Amino acid sequence: MTRCLIAMGSNLGDRLAHLTGAVAAIADDPAMQVLAVSALYETAPVGGPGGQDAFLNTALLAETEAGPSAVLSMLQRIEQDHARERSVHWGPRTLDLDLLTYGGTLSDEADLELPHPRMHERRFVMVPVCDLAPEMVHPRLGRTMRDLLEALPAAEGDLVESAHDWVELRTVRAAAL
């Protein structure tokens, strides 16, 4: 089994439903074992066109027996199941799932760069990652995730914890319907 980190975000539609659905879909895959899910954070959009709504971001730590290409394919299939459209680079999206790390694997393939080439530059990725694996060493940079996060500048309100045990919100929400 290989440990992998997955970043998750949504800023269109029912953001919480998209993220809880993605966690459930990953957990339902027989090749995946979800170990932990970070807190949920509301974040300002970074890059892309202006006027986008805020994102909900989280990260997931899993173990898998599938190879990295198979994990990526599964994540893309889940995005499609949530009506993900790729019409505008860094544009608004119902669901964005990024394979950040796959063990210590390094890959520079056009369709699968590992670790994710910009993860260490983004607080909206690194804060949730550090909820799960602050001492994990970045396979390419050789620094802990905590050290990489501490090197990032923070702006007031760029990232606000929305819910700590948000996955449990799915049960509460379903019971309320």
Side-chain angles (χ1 to χ4, degrees):
M1 298 286 272
T2 302
R3 284 200 173 191
C4 60
L5 281 168
I6 298 167
M8 306 170 66
S10 174
N11 78 333
L12 280 179
D14 188 337
R15 301 173 303 165
L16 182 60
H18 291 305
L19 294 171
T20 56
V23 171
I26 292 167
D28 286 346
D29 188 297
M32 301 292 290
Q33 179 183 359
V34 174
L35 302 176
V37 180
S38 77
L40 188 67
Y41 296 90
E42 187 155 47
T43 64
V46 174
Q52 293 188 58
D53 290 335
F55 275 84
L56 286 181
N57 289 102
T58 189
L60 181 144
L61 178 65
E63 286 187 340
T64 184
E65 56 191 33
S69 294
V71 173
L72 179 63
S73 292
M74 179 216 25
L75 297 177
Q76 290 172 339
R77 198 168 41 253
I78 294 168
E79 287 177 338
Q80 289 174 343
D81 290 346
H82 287 265
R84 166 75 189 261
E85 293 182 13
R86 295 179 183 272
S87 55
V88 177
H89 188 59
W90 291 344
R93 45 208 172 267
T94 55
L95 188 61
D96 186 24
L97 303 176
D98 289 326
L99 181 58
L100 301 175
T101 64
Y102 181 88
T105 301
L106 301 177
S107 173
D108 292 318
E109 300 295 321
D111 61 337
L112 181 59
E113 291 184 69
L114 288 171
H116 188 284
R118 290 170 301 284
M119 69 179 280
H120 63 284
E121 299 170 354
R122 298 173 169 169
R123 277 181 38 86
F124 67 86
V125 171
M126 295 305 296
V127 169
V129 161
C130 284
D131 284 351
L132 303 174
E135 300 307 317
M136 180 183 283
V137 175
H138 188 286
R140 193 174 301 272
L141 301 177
R143 296 174 60 197
T144 67
M145 298 300 170
R146 175 177 292 142
D147 288 343
L148 293 169
L149 173 59
E150 288 173 356
L152 291 175
E156 183 71 30
D158 69 344
L159 185 137
V160 177
E161 185 172 323
S162 178
H164 187 73
D165 294 322
W166 69 274
V167 176
E168 295 301 317
L169 293 177
R170 179 177 189 201
T171 305
V172 170
R173 188 170 179 201
L177 295 178

